Amino acid sequence: MKVGYRKLGLALGAAAVLALSPVRAEAQAGAYSPMFWSFEGGVGMVLPMGDLADAAESGPAFSAAASYFLQPRLALRAEGGLDMLGTKGAVDPNFQIFHLTGGIEYHLVDPLGNTTVALDAGLGASTLNTDAFLLRDHPSPGRHTVGLVNGSYFSANAGIKVGFNFARHAESGVPMVTLFAQADIRMIMADADETHVYAALNNLSGFDTMMEIPFSVGLRVNFP
């Protein structure tokens, strides 16, 4: 039985080596190893769209991400973000949306070139959080009700990044720094019953689909 397992292990090992050989050869031809990481941070502005735009105003947005390259142009990507929206009503509670997503990143041009053009897409969760606020005359005249939005929901995002690469690594030729601009679209599957108190600040009903378009600029650091 041990001999059988040993033969099976050797066979699987040989198959793995053969399967990874093209990836390794492509990586060597591309002048960098598959063990290639990128870390980035961005700052910009987020625009609420759709039903959310009727209740919320644009505000600052912050993001951070890490990418691990499986192939010269394809990477796994993990991203976190914070959007800070304003309210159009007389009452203006702080409204933050925290994002955490995982997905892929694909470069349309060679990452070793002078420019970066990449697409990314991911799935994850977004957490809504507001300050507590008072709703007048609700649910009955002369009374005040405290409103609060706080919940996590499924979300999806996609984006495009354009950048300029410089400060190359002496041995591998990998660009060490990228200055970039990025535009994304985010969809959050919220719950109308839980967002109605926020929408009520503008005499609106709750929304169960939230869409945002963040624009950002940032710095990306690459490690060969």
Side-chain angles (χ1 to χ4, degrees):
M1 183 66 70
K2 292 182 178 179
V3 174
Y5 282 129
R6 185 178 301 171
K7 290 182 178 179
L8 178 59
L10 291 174
L12 292 175
V17 169
L18 292 175
L20 292 175
S21 292
V23 175
R24 183 178 303 151
E26 185 180 5
Q28 291 174 349
Y32 61 84
S33 166
M35 298 294 292
F36 177 70
W37 288 88
S38 290
F39 299 92
E40 67 182 56
V43 60
M45 177 169 287
V46 58
L47 304 179
M49 305 295 290
D51 293 339
L52 182 61
D54 294 331
E57 293 184 333
S58 59
F62 307 90
S63 63
S67 300
Y68 172 72
F69 280 76
L70 301 174
Q71 296 179 359
R73 295 196 183 195
L74 180 65
L76 296 178
R77 179 180 175 87
E79 182 176 355
L82 169 61
D83 300 333
M84 304 176 67
L85 300 175
T87 305
K88 292 184 176 180
V91 179
D92 189 12
N94 292 324
F95 185 12
Q96 299 92 22
I97 306 179
F98 303 90
H99 306 279
L100 185 61
T101 60
I104 60 172
E105 172 184 312
Y106 183 77
H107 288 250
L108 300 179
V109 300
D110 186 355
L112 291 180
N114 294 325
T115 59
T116 288
V117 181
L119 303 175
D120 67 78
L123 302 174
S126 295
T127 299
L128 314 183
N129 183 59
T130 68
D131 293 339
F133 53 90
L134 292 178
L135 290 175
R136 293 179 177 274
D137 300 332
H138 180 81
S140 61
R143 298 187 62 184
H144 298 247
T145 298
V146 175
L148 178 68
V149 178
N150 190 353
S152 297
Y153 308 97
F154 174 78
S155 62
N157 75 281
I160 183 170
K161 175 188 288 88
V162 178
F164 172 72
N165 304 325
F166 63 96
R168 294 178 178 273
H169 186 256
E171 296 181 2
S172 65
V174 172
M176 298 296 292
V177 180
T178 301
L179 292 175
F180 68 86
Q182 181 160 340
D184 292 88
I185 183 168
R186 293 184 180 136
M187 295 289 295
I188 305 171
M189 308 308 170
D191 188 326
D193 292 335
E194 297 179 3
T195 59
H196 78 279
V197 292
Y198 183 80
L201 294 174
N202 291 289
N203 298 317
L204 302 172
S205 58
F207 34 83
D208 54 14
T209 301
M210 302 170 61
M211 184 169 67
E212 299 178 303
I213 299 182
F215 298 94
S216 62
V217 295
L219 188 69
R220 180 175 175 126
V221 180
N222 310 309
F223 293 91

